[in-house]
Amino acid sequence: MKKNKFLFLSALCAMMAMFFVACDNDDDPTPDPTPDPEKTTAFYVLDGGSFGNNNAAISYVNGEGEVTNDIFKDLNGRNLGDMGQNMIRYGSKLYVSVYGSKTVEILNAADAKSLKQLKLLDEQGNERAPRMFAAHGDKVYLTTYDGYVAKIDTASMTVDAYVQVGPNPDGITIANGRIYTADTDGMNWPSQSTSVSVVDINTFKMEKTLTVSLNPNYIYSDSDGDVYVICMSDYSDDKSYIIQRIDAKTDEVTTIEGVKAYKMTVYDDIAYIMFNDYYAGAVKFYKYDLKNEKLLSDNFITDGTVIDSPNGIGIDPLRGDIYVAKSNKTNNGDVYVFTAEGKLKTQFETAPYPSDFVFMVDK
Amino acid sequence: MGAWLLFAVAVYAQQVDTVSYHQLSEVEVVEKARPSVTREATPVQLIDRKGIERLGVQELSEAVKRFSGVTVQDYGGIGGLKTVSVRSLGAKHTAVSYDGVTITDAQSGQVDISRFSLDNVEMVSLSIGQADNIFQTARIYASAGALSIKTSKPEFTTLPFHLRAQVKAGSFGLVNPSLRYEQKLGEKWSASLYGDWQRADGNYPFTLINGKLEDKKKRYNSDIETWRTELNLYGDFGKGGRLRLKGYYFDSERGLPGSVILYNDYSGERLWDKNGFAQAHYENRVNELFAFQAQLKYNYAWMRHLEVDNKYESGRQDDRYTQNEYYGSASALYTPWECVSFSLAQDFYVNTLDNTLPECPFPTRYTSLTVLAGQYKTSRFTATASLLGTFMTEKVETGDTPADRKRLSPAVSASWRILPEQNLRIRASYKDIFRVPTFNDMYYLRIGNTGLKPERATQYNLGLTWSGKSASFVNYLSVSTDGYYNRIRDKIVAMPTMFIWKMMNMGEVSIAGIDANISTEIPVCNKVDVVLQGTYTWQKAIDITDESAKNYRHQIPYTPKHSGTVALSIENPWVNLSYNLTAVGDRYSLPQNIEANLIKSYVEQGISVNREFKFNKCKLRLQGEIINLGNINYDVIQYYPMPGRSYRAMVAFIL
């Protein structure tokens, strides 16, 4: 029983990860205008690892394509922990949430050296389990699985405040001066959530709750302030994996037709969407223009490469290459690099469950 | 007594070619017929009361670890789950029987052997494949390996009652008093009562290696408290047969420390178990031609699992599971000629599950097992064949009803003494068996799959055994070597999708191995004997599911290529001493055989001393052990550290 419970929990937690590119106020130098198209851009990828194995890792691939499979351990002399959940870069730092270990590692982005291992405590002194990040101004916001958003100061690397949102929030995004969280309520079955919490970013107070379709999990936004939420429903019915749009001005919720998603990556207002209908054996890689509300492609991989268990997508801001992370159960993962046209360029092996990419375009 | 005695003598007579009986006195041989490890056509290993006492073994798992070809998956500490996997087939292919009746858990499909006390046990044996005794319940046929636990049966020679009062104490707060009382109730009846209470804090220290960091830590939330009570009633009616009634109750509460998670010492899970059963066994050896036996059992198992964690909105998750089993078995043995016998066994049982999880379908499983077996047995040659027929049907209150399951499972084995004057035997066996999906496999919230097929296991074994007096300076020597090949098909595994896992028939495993056992007794001088036992196992158990997978043909997790044990005992009139060693080679914690998943080999050692004092009719036994003598830091299951050096002492008063 216990083992199965673990499996189930791992199912809910360990495999979830969201790719998130830090907000656009990055202080990166302007990229080299003529990069060598044959090469790849240096990047980090978070390898979530498997439940109970303490094998979360960060792989680093330099501009020459050389892979360092556990750069965190190499640089810091210790393991990242159990179940890497989410990684973003904001400013000069990497923020990594480690769900099982209940730690937030704040790293120097230039070399992956840990600057601080942050623990988040609730009023009773119990540790909060961190989930996903969004950044704005000089703060990084983090959902915690006990039902809160933590506000982390990027300079002092401490938590300024917490605000309570819905139960088990996972996805988080910032738009229209608001923080939106996808409240999964995933630990309280049979209770199920249909709520997105909205927090005013200035007052850091809960503003309202929006009702969306059943079981919201991931949430994103575009430059117009429209918010997109992926709702899982019961993982098998018609409403499972739908994307809903929350209007920036009216908060009106509409369903985007013709597209389903497990997870997506928004870059330059284009959503790169992966959807794996596991039992039908169908994997889709959609490209959707959020601003113009238009499906650009129902398979951005154009050369017939099959990736049956995608786990994350990254867009290289320098070359426009599309990176797809593939998990292989508990075996080592793979990263496939495609050109913007969808042709396979190269691939790398990573530690298990690669998910989130950070590109080091200034390196 | 008559019929039983006759049978026992007959068994003994048939087994005269095994000199391993040397160590038993004549009386014991008559009373305690046991399988001969060298004569059986399939590998059988056993440890009896004398061996248990000689080696100072106090836990069932410690006894089972002495067997070759066995992996005890040990999650560490007294309260840690301990399951037995035979020849890499997985714990769900191992049947565990207690006084002849299989212990089952239809929900998890595996039995935690840490819940049984060794104090009350007369013999533990492990048979791989189909054992030679064809006069068994059908259930015993329905597994790839069978661990059989037999409790002591009272024997009265002088006094009409016996008493054994005992206290064990040890490191990490272990206290374990127990009492066994046996009473003769007239000519035909006798009774025994056993009870014990055990508690331990289990907060043992361990060293956590994290990259370059070495942390001295302690296990927390690993306390345990258990109560065990057992009442047996024995009736012996001569020609009217023999009856045995048993009532058993087990109650425990324990903390579940979970795996060691880096940077996170929080542990908020607790487990409560209540398990009671009543069983009746009747056997009648009517005459030389015909014998029959029947059993009935009712089993109740209740479990509560509590997790306190701030990720739950109410701060906690509290689940309860109740299982019931109703079991009946009847078997008949027909021996038309001295060397030919046939048996027919029919079992029927019903299993139910009820839990507080949402969407519990309240399954009820009806199983019928029928076995027809035949045996030809002379002093030089034994051949056995059996056919097991399984029919299973299931009802659920909600959701999909799985299809009925029907299956025929054959087994054949033969053993031949090659030379008439030498006790050298060759043996060969084949068995095709399966395990049915457990209730968890089929119904567990969202991950369960009612469309699962049984997981099939095929076993082949070829071995040589020899026993005898190799030289004048040894009392006996017994050697066996078996080579085997197993194949698992339709292995039931959890397959991940991005969000939900699903149980699927998706695995195929190829297992080749060699088991070797040696056992000898050497008299050093008057009253000083040395007993030496050794086992060695080589295994290549590889995953052959998917050619394109990165772990294709890699050794499956937690399966060392090499492992072995040594036990050396010196028996003398002063203080008996025994030393034991367990060596386990490199293993991997995950399917891919890469450095990151490597768990290093270890050698664990222990010593035990004991002395018995006799006064008139009573005895006082003192025993002490040092476990993990070298204080090595090791894991059987990764991130479930095992205790370092620890101590245990026992005082027993026997009347």
Side-chain angles (χ1 to χ4, degrees):
Chain A
M1 189 287 303
K2 209 178 142 201
K3 194 181 167 202
N4 280 328
K5 176 141 191 170
F6 287 161
L7 293 176
F8 179 56
L9 295 186
S10 345
L12 281 172
C13 316
M15 310 317 135
M16 297 180 184
M18 168 185 175
F19 165 60
F20 207 96
V21 178
C23 286
D24 294 332
N25 63 346
D26 255 7
D27 50 359
D28 300 334
T30 315
D32 180 352
T34 54
D36 180 353
E38 297 301 308
K39 291 195 169 177
T40 53
T41 306
F43 67 96
Y44 291 106
V45 58
L46 174 64
D47 307 312
S50 38
F51 175 78
N53 290 97
N54 292 314
N55 62 343
I58 296 171
S59 299
Y60 176 69
V61 182
N62 68 14
E64 302 304 312
E66 291 159 354
V67 184
T68 308
N69 243 343
D70 198 347
I71 196 166
F72 182 91
K73 191 176 178 182
D74 291 353
L75 267 287
N76 300 293
R78 59 184 176 89
N79 288 300
L80 181 58
D82 194 48
M83 296 206 287
Q85 197 63 40
N86 186 209
M87 176 171 75
I88 65 163
R89 180 163 66 126
Y90 192 57
S92 62
K93 296 182 179 112
L94 296 179
Y95 295 82
V96 185
S97 60
V98 189
Y99 176 74
S101 292
K102 299 191 178 178
T103 54
V104 173
E105 295 281 355
I106 304 176
L107 315 178
N108 183 13
D111 60 5
K113 269 215 152 132
S114 180
L115 302 171
K116 177 150 191 184
Q117 186 188 66
L118 188 62
K119 281 276 184 186
L120 306 117
L121 301 180
D122 67 14
E123 292 86 6
Q124 283 78 43
N126 289 318
E127 292 174 4
R128 303 174 192 261
R131 298 298 293 188
M132 304 181 83
F133 298 103
H136 182 79
D138 55 358
K139 309 291 177 193
V140 165
Y141 298 89
L142 167 69
T143 47
T144 65
Y145 227 37
D146 57 330
Y148 287 79
V149 172
K151 178 158 69 166
I152 302 168
D153 185 82
T154 55
S156 70
M157 297 184 282
T158 53
V159 178
D160 285 351
Y162 293 98
V163 62
Q164 188 167 11
V165 292
N168 313 129
D170 203 11
I172 180 170
T173 193
I174 294 168
N176 315 311
R178 290 158 146 189
I179 303 163
Y180 294 78
T181 63
D183 304 331
T184 69
D185 205 8
M187 287 292 142
N188 302 301
W189 179 263
S191 162
Q192 282 182 286
S193 162
T194 54
S195 78
V196 165
S197 293
V198 180
V199 173
D200 184 289
I201 204 160
N202 295 316
T203 62
F204 204 53
K205 292 220 160 64
M206 183 83 164
E207 187 183 316
K208 64 199 297 193
T209 298
L210 301 174
T211 301
V212 294
S213 186
L214 190 65
N215 209 354
N217 204 133
Y218 294 131
I219 197 159
Y220 313 84
S221 51
D222 67 16
S223 59
D224 288 343
D226 287 340
V227 171
Y228 301 85
V229 56
I230 299 177
C231 297
M232 303 301 171
S233 187
D234 75 347
Y235 306 99
S236 60
D237 66 9
D238 289 348
K239 289 189 160 182
S240 296
Y241 311 112
I242 60 169
I243 306 170
Q244 291 197 314
R245 177 190 294 107
I246 303 171
D247 188 90
K249 295 183 186 68
T250 64
D251 285 344
E252 192 196 344
V253 179
T254 50
T255 300
I256 296 181
E257 299 297 330
V259 185
K260 285 199 168 191
Y262 259 15
K263 209 158 93 166
M264 64 197 216
T265 291
V266 179
Y267 184 77
D268 261 354
D269 287 338
I270 306 291
Y272 295 82
I273 299 168
M274 56 195 194
F275 175 61
N276 184 357
D277 191 351
Y278 198 84
Y279 300 104
V283 185
K284 300 272 177 145
F285 293 96
Y286 298 106
K287 205 166 156 182
Y288 188 87
D289 183 339
L290 297 174
K291 236 179 156 143
N292 300 310
E293 301 180 14
K294 195 175 140 204
L295 183 65
L296 300 178
S297 163
D298 65 359
N299 196 353
F300 62 69
I301 296 173
T302 55
D303 65 352
T305 305
V306 175
I307 301 175
D308 54 16
S309 47
N311 200 47
I313 301 173
I315 308 300
D316 169 9
L318 185 61
R319 293 177 170 83
D321 291 344
I322 305 168
Y323 287 54
V324 179
K326 174 177 183 275
S327 63
N328 300 302
K329 289 182 272 180
T330 55
N331 293 343
N332 278 345
D334 293 297
V335 167
Y336 290 74
V337 182
F338 296 91
T339 63
E341 292 73 41
K343 304 270 188 277
L344 184 64
K345 194 163 147 179
T346 183
Q347 71 185 83
F348 304 105
E349 187 172 275
T350 69
Y353 293 105
S355 58
D356 298 358
F357 293 91
V358 164
F359 292 92
M360 299 305 292
V361 290
D362 51 340
K363 215 174 178 185
Chain B
M1 199 72 210
W4 167 235
L5 197 65
L6 256 177
F7 167 66
V9 169
V11 169
Y12 177 53
Q14 284 174 5
Q15 294 184 345
V16 281
D17 60 346
T18 63
V19 276
S20 57
Y21 282 93
H22 176 92
Q23 52 183 337
L24 297 171
S25 73
E26 204 64 19
V27 175
E28 281 171 323
V29 169
V30 173
E31 294 296 348
K32 289 153 191 165
R34 61 176 205 176
S36 155
V37 294
T38 53
R39 187 185 169 131
E40 288 272 317
T42 52
V44 173
Q45 298 169 77
L46 60 84
I47 183 166
D48 61 8
R49 187 78 234 155
K50 195 166 188 293
I52 289 168
E53 292 191 345
R54 190 178 60 228
L55 294 174
V57 177
Q58 304 246 9
E59 302 279 336
L60 183 55
S61 62
E62 291 169 20
V64 176
K65 277 175 193 169
R66 314 261 116 230
F67 297 151
S68 64
V70 171
T71 320
V72 176
Q73 305 289 31
D74 189 336
Y75 287 76
I78 293 167
L81 175 72
K82 291 167 183 62
T83 62
V84 181
S85 169
V86 173
R87 290 182 172 177
S88 298
L89 296 168
K92 290 168 185 164
H93 282 282
T94 310
V96 178
S97 73
Y98 195 68
D99 282 332
V101 182
T102 311
I103 302 281
T104 52
D105 183 335
Q107 187 184 356
S108 73
Q110 58 187 18
V111 178
D112 179 5
I113 61 166
S114 74
R115 64 166 50 190
F116 301 104
S117 166
L118 254 197
D119 298 336
N120 198 26
V121 166
E122 181 56 43
M123 187 175 82
V124 178
S125 64
L126 179 86
S127 56
I128 300 172
Q130 191 50 56
D132 278 4
N133 179 6
I134 59 169
F135 190 37
Q136 303 259 26
T137 65
R139 247 191 186 175
I140 292 285
Y141 287 82
S143 62
L147 180 70
S148 158
I149 304 160
K150 284 202 163 65
T151 62
S152 314
K153 184 177 183 296
E155 300 298 340
F156 303 98
T157 43
T158 49
L159 290 171
F161 67 94
H162 291 150
L163 176 75
R164 185 185 171 108
Q166 168 182 306
V167 180
K168 261 190 261 181
S171 305
F172 322 122
L174 170 71
V175 181
N176 179 205
S178 70
L179 186 76
R180 181 179 165 86
Y181 181 77
E182 298 168 350
Q183 175 71 51
K184 193 168 181 169
L185 306 164
E187 280 305 298
K188 291 178 177 164
W189 292 91
S190 60
S192 73
L193 177 71
Y194 173 82
D196 85 319
W197 175 76
Q198 176 177 277
R199 60 90 59 199
D201 303 313
N203 53 349
Y204 54 86
F206 66 97
T207 305
L208 177 63
I209 312 266
N210 173 14
K212 289 175 188 156
L213 305 178
E214 240 187 79
D215 244 355
K216 301 272 179 216
K217 295 180 83 81
K218 259 188 176 181
R219 254 348 217 157
Y220 288 111
N221 192 32
S222 50
D223 60 293
I224 180 164
E225 183 178 349
T226 64
W227 280 96
R228 274 180 286 239
T229 325
E230 189 175 326
L231 176 68
N232 290 289
L233 205 57
Y234 310 84
D236 197 329
F237 316 111
K239 280 195 186 313
R242 293 183 304 133
L243 180 70
R244 181 167 184 172
L245 304 171
K246 182 194 284 290
Y248 177 95
Y249 186 68
F250 172 86
D251 191 317
S252 83
E253 175 184 350
R254 71 187 84 186
L256 298 175
S259 69
V260 173
I261 301 287
L262 295 177
Y263 318 118
N264 178 5
D265 289 338
Y266 181 76
S267 167
E269 285 181 86
R270 291 193 80 72
L271 188 72
W272 288 260
D273 276 295
K274 291 183 202 300
N275 175 213
F277 63 79
Q279 69 189 43
H281 175 239
Y282 176 76
E283 179 174 327
N284 195 339
R285 295 187 179 261
V286 179
N287 51 39
E288 281 179 16
L289 281 178
F290 186 68
F292 74 92
Q293 59 180 345
Q295 342 222 13
L296 287 172
K297 182 183 180 183
Y298 166 69
N299 186 68
Y300 168 84
W302 177 92
M303 184 171 82
R304 174 183 171 206
H305 179 260
L306 172 70
E307 187 178 7
V308 176
D309 194 307
N310 62 13
K311 71 188 176 191
Y312 300 114
E313 216 178 356
S314 59
R316 58 202 282 143
Q317 173 83 19
D318 199 347
D319 299 320
R320 276 141 232 254
Y321 304 79
T322 308
Q323 290 187 74
N324 283 291
E325 180 176 86
Y326 308 88
Y327 172 74
S329 168
S331 46
L333 179 71
Y334 176 58
T335 313
W337 299 283
E338 201 185 331
C339 54
V340 177
S341 53
F342 297 96
S343 80
L344 178 67
Q346 173 64 48
D347 286 19
F348 180 74
Y349 48 100
V350 181
N351 294 85
T352 67
L353 171 69
D354 176 351
N355 66 39
T356 55
L357 297 183
E359 296 179 10
C360 175
F362 304 102
T364 303
R365 177 179 284 180
Y366 304 87
T367 311
S368 163
L369 302 176
T370 311
V371 173
L372 187 62
Q375 188 169 65
Y376 175 81
K377 190 168 190 172
T378 65
S379 64
R380 278 186 69 184
F381 183 70
T382 307
T384 311
S386 63
L387 188 64
L388 165 72
T390 305
F391 176 76
M392 184 180 278
T393 185
E394 219 148 305
K395 290 199 166 48
V396 289
E397 287 186 12
T398 54
D400 298 337
T401 303
D404 293 348
R405 295 187 163 79
K406 293 177 210 112
R407 212 175 154 76
L408 286 176
S409 313
V412 288
S413 64
S415 160
W416 179 50
R417 193 165 76 182
I418 300 166
L419 304 165
E421 66 283 358
Q422 271 288 344
N423 201 13
L424 174 69
R425 286 179 172 268
I426 185 165
R427 63 187 176 193
S429 60
Y430 159 82
K431 184 169 183 175
D432 179 62
I433 196 66
F434 63 95
R435 73 148 181 110
V436 293
T438 65
F439 283 161
N440 277 348
D441 293 337
M442 294 173 72
Y443 304 112
Y444 200 85
L445 186 63
R446 286 188 176 156
I447 72 168
N449 179 356
T450 52
L452 287 175
K453 294 179 285 187
E455 175 179 313
R456 295 184 291 150
T458 316
Q459 300 168 277
Y460 301 90
N461 188 81
L462 184 64
L464 274 178
T465 66
W466 185 84
S467 66
K469 269 175 83 81
S470 59
S472 56
F473 60 85
V474 296
N475 276 349
Y476 77 92
L477 173 68
S478 149
V479 185
S480 72
T481 310
D482 288 276
Y484 59 86
Y485 182 76
N486 298 334
R487 187 76 167 255
I488 299 185
R489 294 180 178 86
D490 295 330
K491 190 177 168 79
I492 298 171
V493 292
M495 295 293 290
T497 68
M498 187 166 282
F499 300 103
I500 45 176
W501 292 56
K502 203 85 182 163
M503 302 308 294
M504 313 264 262
N505 288 105
M506 266 298 286
E508 191 156 353
V509 185
S510 157
I511 304 152
I514 295 168
D515 288 344
N517 292 50
I518 181 166
S519 158
T520 184
E521 184 181 310
I522 303 164
V524 177
C525 57
N526 189 28
K527 290 184 176 173
V528 179
D529 286 335
V530 171
V531 180
L532 180 71
Q533 286 168 303
T535 68
Y536 168 77
T537 298
W538 173 81
Q539 269 189 101
K540 185 180 178 191
I542 55 174
D543 189 315
I544 52 167
T545 310
D546 176 7
E547 259 183 66
S548 65
K550 288 180 183 179
N551 65 319
Y552 182 65
R553 299 189 74 79
H554 284 203
Q555 188 89 349
I556 61 173
Y558 296 116
T559 311
K561 272 212 173 87
H562 306 278
S563 57
T565 65
V566 175
L568 175 77
S569 312
I570 302 166
E571 299 193 293
N572 59 70
W574 309 285
V575 175
N576 296 325
L577 179 75
S578 81
Y579 163 83
N580 66 72
L581 175 149
T582 306
V584 174
D586 288 352
R587 297 140 293 147
Y588 295 92
S589 59
L590 289 169
Q592 198 176 2
N593 293 178
I594 51 175
E595 181 73 24
N597 298 335
L598 183 69
I599 311 176
K600 288 277 186 201
S601 60
Y602 67 85
V603 176
E604 193 255 352
Q605 303 165 84
I607 53 171
S608 172
V609 290
N610 71 75
R611 168 95 199 246
E612 250 176 42
F613 300 92
K614 286 184 182 157
F615 317 91
N616 280 330
K617 284 174 177 164
C618 51
K619 282 193 291 191
L620 183 70
R621 184 181 168 87
L622 303 176
Q623 186 175 315
E625 285 117 47
I626 305 174
I627 303 145
N628 193 356
L629 195 59
N631 198 26
I632 57 151
N633 194 42
Y634 72 104
D635 294 358
V636 175
I637 304 295
Q638 196 187 27
Y639 293 114
Y640 284 87
M642 299 293 288
R645 186 185 301 121
S646 59
Y647 305 90
R648 217 162 42 192
M650 184 191 83
V651 184
F653 171 80
I654 303 141
L655 180 66

